[in-house]
Amino acid sequence: MSTPPTRSPINRLLLAIVVLMTVAVSSFSMEARAAGRQDIEDEALADRPIASVQIEGLKSTEQQLIRNNLRTAAGQPFDSRGIREDVETLYRLGRFDTVDAEAVLNQDGSVSVIYILEEQPLISAIQVVGNRAISDQKLLLAIPLYAGGPRDDFLLEQGVIRIQDEYRNKGFYLAEIEVDESRLKDSGILIIRIVEGPRVRIREIEFVGNKAFPAKELSLEISTKPYIFLFRKGQLEPEKLLDDVASLDKFYKANGFVDVRVDKRILLSPDNTEAKVVFVIEEGRRYRLRDVIVRSNTADGEPRIFKREQVRDLLAIRPGDDYTRLVVDRSVERLEEAYQLMGHIDTRISPREVRVGEQPEVDMLLSISEGEKVTTGLVKVQGNFITKDKVIRRLVRIEPGRPLDGREIGLARLRLQATQLFGNVRVTVQDPEPGAGSTRDVLVEVAERNTGSFNFGVGLSSDAGVFGDITINQKNFDIADWPLSFREFTNARAFRGAGQTMTIALSPGDDVSTYSFSIGEPHLFNTDISANFTTFYRNRFYSNYKEERISAAFGLGRRLGDVWQIGVTARAQKITQTDFSPQTAIEVYDARGPDNVFDIRTTLTRSTLNSFTTPSRGSRLSLSAAPFWVTNTGNFFVNLDAGLTTYLTVNEDFLGRKSTLKLTGRTGLIVGGTAPPSESFYLGGLTFRGFEFRTISPKATGTIANPNTPYNEPVGGDFLFFAGAQYQYPLIGDSLGGVFFVDSGTVENTIDFEGYRLSMGFGVRINIPALGPAPLAFDFGFPIIKQEEDEKQLFSFSMAVPF
C-alpha cells in the first residue's frame, strides 16, 4: 500500500496565492463590468441623471452639428425613448452609415450617454459617362450631391430618378441609369453610367375590348398621345400611362361599368425606336339603378326636412337609368341646394352604390347628415380700404335675421369676383358664438386689386385697318370723391371707391379714328338700376367718302333676376359725309348731311353664358327696338333687331380644355320709313367671313358721276338675316386653338332671301394674356353660294370677342 505524497509548505503557499489572486481578479472584473457600457434599454438606467453626453467616431463632421441635433443633454433624466429619437434624427442627416447609442453607469449612480457614429465615405468626385443626348452640366445639376460631401443613398437615388426623367422627357424610354458602386467604395468617385438607347416615339394608340365607347371618345380621357411632327413629341412615359389607366377606369365607372378592368401593353418596333400603346379594356356589364335608399342621421333614420319621396323627386337619376357618376353628382348637387335653400347649410350627403343580386343593378344608398337650420347674424366686411362697404354689401344678398341661404355663399363670391375690383374673395359662415344658438355670422373678406390702368398699343383689323390705342380705365371710379389736394390726386387716392367705371379711349387710325369717354354707375342711387353716359367722335374713311360721327348717349338698365336685363338708351348723333369721289353712291351723297339723328333703343337681354370673353356653355338672347328721327329731313323709322347666340361644350379633355360649338342667329328689320345708308344694315368682313367688309348689301342705283347707272357700291338694306355655326377646339395648350365655321345670310331692301349667301372656312385662335382676355382671330373664308357682284375676301383677322 503506497503512502500518499505529502504537500510541501511551499506548494501550499503557492496554492493559496493563486486562489487569492483569482478571487481578486474576479472581484475586479465584476466592478469593471459594472462600470462598463450597457444597453440603453436597461431598466436600471431609467430616470438616473445624465452626467455627460459623449460623441465618438467623428472624423470630418463637426461635433457641434451633432449636438445641435440632439435632444438628450447633461442634467436630464435618462430616457431611452428620447435617445432612440436622437439616433433616428442623426440617421436623417444622411452623413452616417451607422449610428449607435450606449450608456455607462458611473459609480456615483449617474449615467454617461455615448453616441457611436460611423461616417459615410466622402465623395471625392462626381462623373457621368455614356451620355450623348444630354450634357454633363445638365445631368450633374440633377444630382443633389457634391464633391467633398458625404455619400447619401437617399439623395443618390433621387439623382438617378431625376436623370431618368430627363431622358424620358427627351424620348429615351429605354435609358438605363446605374451607379458604379465598386468605384465609389474603393476610390470615393461617384460615377453615373448611362446607357441611352434609342429615342422612342409613340406611333399608334389602340383600344382593345371597348364596345360601349369608340376609341375617339376614349382618347380624350388619356394624356398619352401619338407623335405628330412639330406639334407633339409623342413620348413614352410610364408614369403617364399609369395615370391613363386610372383615368379610363374612372371614366368607365362613372358611366355605370362598375366591374371594368383596364390594363396597358407597350409593343416596341424591332429597332426599339417606335412604340404602340395598347389599352386593354374588359368593360363588364353596365349597371342600372334599381332603387334609392335614403337614410338620415336621425334616431329613426327618417329625414326631417324632406320626406323620402321628396328626396327621390329631387334627384336627377331615376330607377332604371344607367348608374352614371355625372348624373349621381348632379342629383347630390340638387339635393344639397334644396337643403341650403331651407337654411340647412351644414347638410352633408354621401352617395354609395350597393350591388344587389346577379343582375347588373345597384341600389344607391344616400346617407344624409342634416344640419340645424341656420339664421343669419351679422354680415361683416373686411379688407376693403378703398372700396365703400355699400359696393360690396349690395352684391352679398344675405339678409341678417333671415334663414341663411347656403347657395348665396358661392353666388356672392362669384358676383364680387365678376366686378374685377378684388383679387381674392372669401365668403364664409362663422362658427356660432356662445349662447347664439343657431344664429351665425357671415364674414366677407376681400383683397382689393389695382383697378386703374393706362394702356397703349397698336391694333390691326381686316375691317378697320391699323390703329393706335391709348386707354385710361378705372373700374372702381367715384365721381363724387374729389381730391382735397394735388398730392391726393397724384397718389391715386381720389375718384375711387364707388364701383363706377370710367374709360377714356383714344384710337387714331388710318381707316378709323375714335375718341371716346364713358362713365357707368352699376347701382344708381344705391338701387338695382344701372346708368351710363357715353360720348365719342369717330371719323371713318370708306372707299369713296369719309364719314364723321359725333355721339352722346345716356342709358338706364335693370336686372330682372339673374339672367334677364332690360335697358333703355337715348342717343343724339351728328353725322356728316364728306370727301366724295365721282364713284360715290348717289344714295350716300343725297344723305350727306350734316344730319342730326335721335334714337331711343329699348333692349331686353337674357344671358346664361359662363364667361363673357371665352364662353363654353350657355346662350345670349337680345331683343331691341329703336325709333329713329332724322331732324333735318323729318324722316322717321324704327329699327328692330333680334339675336341669339348659343354655346355648347362638345368635348372636354383631361386638362379641362373644351371643344365648343357656337350657333349664331340674327335678324333685323327697318319699318315705318327709309333709313339713310349710315343707319342701314350691312354684312361682310368679320360679320360674314369670305366676303369684303359691308359688301353684302343692296347696291347703288347710281353714282355722283353717273346718277342713273347702277354701280357695285353697297348702300345698306332694310332687312338682315344671318345664321352661322362655328366649332372651336384646342390645338396646343391653352394658347392655340382651331376653328371650322359656316356663315350664311343676306341683306335686302325687303324681307327676301333671293340673294342668300353661304361661306365655309377655317381659322386659328391665339390667346396672348398680355393683349387681353379675348384671343386673336385669324380666319380663311371661302364663298360657296354667292351673287355675281359680290367681292370676296379670303383672309380676316381681329380680336375674337363673342358679340
Side-chain angles (χ1 to χ4, degrees):
M1 179 175 181
S2 61
T3 304
T6 58
R7 300 180 184 272
S8 67
I10 294 176
N11 290 338
R12 291 174 179 173
L13 179 62
L14 290 174
L15 180 61
I17 291 173
V18 170
V19 171
L20 290 175
M21 289 181 64
T22 301
V23 172
V25 169
S26 176
S27 176
F28 177 79
S29 177
M30 291 178 63
E31 292 180 4
R33 282 198 299 271
R37 298 186 177 184
Q38 301 174 232
D39 190 277
I40 62 173
E41 301 296 339
D42 193 335
E43 296 182 357
L45 303 177
D47 295 329
R48 290 178 178 271
I50 297 176
S52 63
V53 176
Q54 303 172 25
I55 300 170
E56 297 180 355
L58 296 182
K59 296 179 181 179
S60 60
T61 305
E62 294 184 2
Q63 190 173 112
Q64 189 59 43
L65 173 65
I66 307 303
R67 294 192 178 276
N68 290 341
N69 285 275
L70 296 179
R71 295 175 58 187
T72 303
Q76 296 178 349
F78 185 88
D79 181 8
S80 61
R81 179 178 178 181
I83 296 175
R84 288 197 305 272
E85 292 176 353
D86 286 341
V87 170
E88 293 176 1
T89 300
L90 295 177
Y91 263 121
R92 284 196 293 269
L93 292 177
R95 291 174 170 265
F96 307 104
D97 190 23
T98 61
V99 179
D100 291 320
E102 296 180 348
V104 174
L105 179 61
N106 301 320
Q107 292 183 353
D108 60 359
S110 63
V111 180
S112 295
V113 178
I114 305 172
Y115 292 92
I116 304 97
L117 310 176
E118 183 179 346
E119 293 180 324
Q120 292 272 25
L122 296 179
I123 299 174
S124 59
I126 302 176
Q127 301 175 4
V128 290
V129 296
N131 55 306
R132 295 185 301 275
I134 304 177
S135 66
D136 289 1
Q137 292 79 4
K138 190 169 185 178
L139 294 179
L140 290 174
L141 288 174
I143 304 172
L145 296 171
Y146 57 93
R151 169 177 175 168
D152 187 324
D153 289 338
F154 174 77
L155 295 180
L156 182 56
E157 181 182 0
Q158 292 298 307
V160 170
I161 292 173
R162 291 179 185 178
I163 293 176
Q164 187 82 48
D165 291 341
E166 289 284 349
Y167 271 96
R168 285 177 176 170
N169 288 336
K170 292 282 187 179
F172 293 89
Y173 168 70
L174 300 174
E176 297 180 1
I177 318 297
E178 62 178 18
V179 178
D180 191 333
E181 292 286 353
S182 60
R183 291 290 300 273
L184 180 60
K185 185 176 181 180
D186 295 341
S187 63
I189 300 176
L190 173 59
I191 299 178
I192 307 293
R193 299 190 181 276
I194 300 170
V195 180
E196 292 181 339
R199 190 189 298 267
V200 183
R201 292 192 175 111
I202 300 173
R203 287 295 181 182
E204 184 182 355
I205 296 177
E206 183 181 359
F207 298 90
V208 176
N210 55 307
K211 300 176 182 178
F213 304 100
K216 183 178 181 181
E217 185 172 354
L218 295 179
S219 64
L220 298 174
E221 302 297 324
I222 62 175
S223 56
T224 301
K225 302 295 181 183
Y227 169 76
I228 298 178
F229 180 67
L230 294 180
F231 288 96
R232 271 205 304 254
K233 296 180 180 180
Q235 295 169 180
L236 193 59
E237 302 179 43
E239 293 81 5
K240 187 180 289 187
L241 288 175
L242 292 175
D243 293 339
D244 290 340
V245 169
S247 296
L248 290 172
D249 182 82
K250 181 180 178 181
F251 171 77
Y252 266 93
K253 288 180 178 176
N255 283 279
F257 293 86
V258 180
D259 298 326
V260 68
R261 297 179 63 185
V262 183
D263 203 352
K264 69 179 188 320
R265 290 203 304 263
I266 300 173
L267 306 178
L268 295 174
S269 63
D271 60 356
N272 291 332
T273 60
E274 296 181 350
K276 177 181 179 180
V277 178
V278 181
F279 290 98
V280 183
I281 302 170
E282 185 179 338
E283 292 181 336
R285 300 177 297 178
R286 177 174 248 168
Y287 280 71
R288 296 181 179 275
L289 179 66
R290 190 190 73 164
D291 194 10
V292 178
I293 303 172
V294 181
R295 292 181 182 174
S296 179
N297 61 337
T298 57
D300 57 0
E302 290 285 337
R304 293 181 293 112
I305 311 305
F306 300 104
K307 296 181 180 179
R308 293 179 187 271
E309 293 76 13
Q310 292 175 313
V311 170
R312 294 188 178 96
D313 290 340
L314 286 168
L315 302 178
I317 192 170
R318 296 286 185 269
D321 293 347
D322 291 334
Y323 190 78
T324 61
R325 177 56 54 186
L326 182 64
V327 182
V328 171
D329 292 343
R330 193 184 309 139
S331 299
V332 172
E333 184 179 347
R334 283 187 184 180
L335 195 54
E336 287 179 342
E337 287 182 355
Y339 273 97
Q340 290 175 351
L341 179 62
M342 301 295 291
H344 294 264
I345 63 172
D346 295 324
T347 297
R348 298 293 178 265
I349 302 170
S350 301
R352 182 166 61 90
E353 67 267 10
V354 180
R355 303 187 194 186
V356 290
E358 297 297 328
Q359 298 299 318
E361 296 178 330
V362 295
D363 287 346
M364 183 170 69
L365 176 61
L366 276 181
S367 299
I368 303 176
S369 175
E370 294 181 326
E372 294 294 328
K373 186 173 184 178
V374 175
T375 301
T376 308
L378 297 176
V379 179
K380 305 175 183 178
V381 178
Q382 292 182 358
N384 54 317
F385 301 103
I386 297 175
T387 308
K388 297 178 179 178
D389 266 16
K390 66 178 183 180
V391 175
I392 299 172
R393 292 184 180 276
R394 65 196 179 197
L395 298 174
V396 181
R397 300 170 186 172
I398 301 174
E399 300 182 16
R402 298 181 63 86
L404 179 55
D405 185 350
R407 302 173 306 167
E408 281 297 322
I409 302 299
L411 292 175
R413 179 176 57 83
L414 293 176
R415 292 191 202 102
L416 289 171
Q417 289 177 335
T419 64
Q420 299 184 354
L421 302 181
F422 312 104
N424 296 321
V425 177
R426 293 181 59 197
V427 182
T428 54
V429 181
Q430 304 300 292
D431 293 333
E433 297 288 339
S438 60
T439 300
R440 297 167 68 176
D441 296 339
V442 176
L443 178 61
V444 181
E445 299 173 281
V446 298
E448 293 180 316
R449 63 191 303 178
N450 183 14
T451 55
S453 63
F454 176 76
N455 303 314
F456 61 92
V458 177
L460 187 64
S461 168
S462 56
D463 285 359
V466 180
F467 54 90
D469 180 39
I470 302 174
T471 304
I472 301 173
N473 188 44
Q474 176 56 258
K475 298 176 182 177
N476 198 8
F477 191 66
D478 186 355
I479 195 171
D481 183 23
W482 288 78
L484 299 178
S485 64
F486 182 74
R487 183 179 182 84
E488 189 177 43
F489 176 76
T490 57
N491 290 340
R493 289 292 180 181
F495 297 116
R496 293 180 66 190
Q500 300 164 0
T501 58
M502 186 279 295
T503 302
I504 300 174
L506 310 176
S507 300
D510 60 343
D511 287 343
V512 183
S513 297
T514 305
Y515 309 92
S516 66
F517 169 80
S518 65
I519 184 171
E521 167 57 72
H523 295 271
L524 186 64
F525 305 125
N526 209 30
T527 66
D528 290 335
I529 298 176
S530 61
N532 62 82
F533 173 77
T534 302
T535 182
F536 72 85
Y537 166 77
R538 183 179 70 198
N539 68 71
R540 172 155 198 152
F541 291 91
Y542 293 103
S543 57
N544 293 307
Y545 65 97
K546 181 179 78 169
E547 177 185 279
E548 293 183 281
R549 188 181 295 246
I550 302 174
S551 173
F554 176 76
L556 297 174
R558 192 182 193 283
R559 297 200 66 87
L560 307 174
D562 291 329
V563 298
W564 288 95
Q565 183 172 357
I566 189 171
V568 178
T569 301
R571 181 176 56 171
Q573 300 183 86
K574 183 177 182 179
I575 306 172
T576 305
Q577 283 87 21
T578 58
D579 296 355
F580 301 107
S581 75
Q583 286 74 38
T584 303
I586 193 64
E587 286 85 353
V588 173
Y589 183 75
D590 290 343
R592 61 188 177 275
D595 288 332
N596 296 319
V597 181
F598 297 89
D599 68 275
I600 301 177
R601 181 175 296 274
T602 302
T603 304
L604 183 65
T605 305
R606 182 186 186 275
S607 177
T608 59
L609 298 178
N610 60 345
S611 170
F612 181 76
T613 55
T614 55
S616 61
R617 176 173 45 83
S619 63
R620 184 179 188 273
L621 171 67
S622 177
L623 305 172
S624 69
F628 281 74
W629 180 37
V630 184
T631 60
N632 304 60
T633 63
N635 190 19
F636 179 86
F637 60 93
V638 178
N639 180 305
L640 304 175
D641 205 325
L644 174 63
T645 303
T646 300
Y647 286 84
L648 303 172
T649 299
V650 180
N651 287 310
E652 182 174 356
D653 63 16
F654 70 101
L655 294 175
R657 300 177 304 177
K658 297 180 176 66
S659 298
T660 59
L661 177 64
K662 174 186 176 183
L663 303 174
T664 305
R666 183 192 170 197
T667 184
L669 183 64
I670 294 174
V671 297
T674 303
S678 60
E679 301 302 321
S680 296
F681 292 120
Y682 299 86
L683 284 174
L686 298 176
T687 59
F688 200 131
R689 290 160 289 191
F691 295 89
E692 283 280 357
F693 173 61
R694 296 209 332 168
T695 57
I696 298 180
S697 158
K699 301 303 189 287
T701 59
T703 64
I704 296 176
N706 299 290
N708 298 317
T709 303
Y711 187 67
N712 192 29
E713 182 75 10
V715 294
D718 293 339
F719 170 70
L720 175 147
F721 180 83
F722 177 85
Q726 176 175 289
Y727 177 70
Q728 181 171 336
Y729 55 95
L731 286 176
I732 300 177
D734 295 323
S735 60
L736 182 64
V739 299
F740 290 102
F741 64 83
V742 176
D743 290 348
S744 70
T746 186
V747 176
E748 307 289 346
N749 281 323
T750 60
I751 300 177
D752 190 359
F753 295 91
E754 182 178 352
Y756 205 79
R757 282 93 162 170
L758 183 143
S759 69
M760 301 178 65
F762 62 90
V764 296
R765 299 293 181 267
I766 302 176
N767 186 19
I768 304 177
L771 298 181
L776 299 175
F778 301 90
D779 293 324
F780 295 86
F782 304 90
I784 305 300
I785 301 175
K786 61 186 183 66
Q787 302 302 310
E788 183 178 353
E789 70 276 9
D790 285 340
E791 299 179 26
K792 296 184 292 184
Q793 177 176 291
L794 172 66
F795 181 57
S796 60
F797 53 94
S798 69
M799 297 289 286
V801 294
F803 310 105

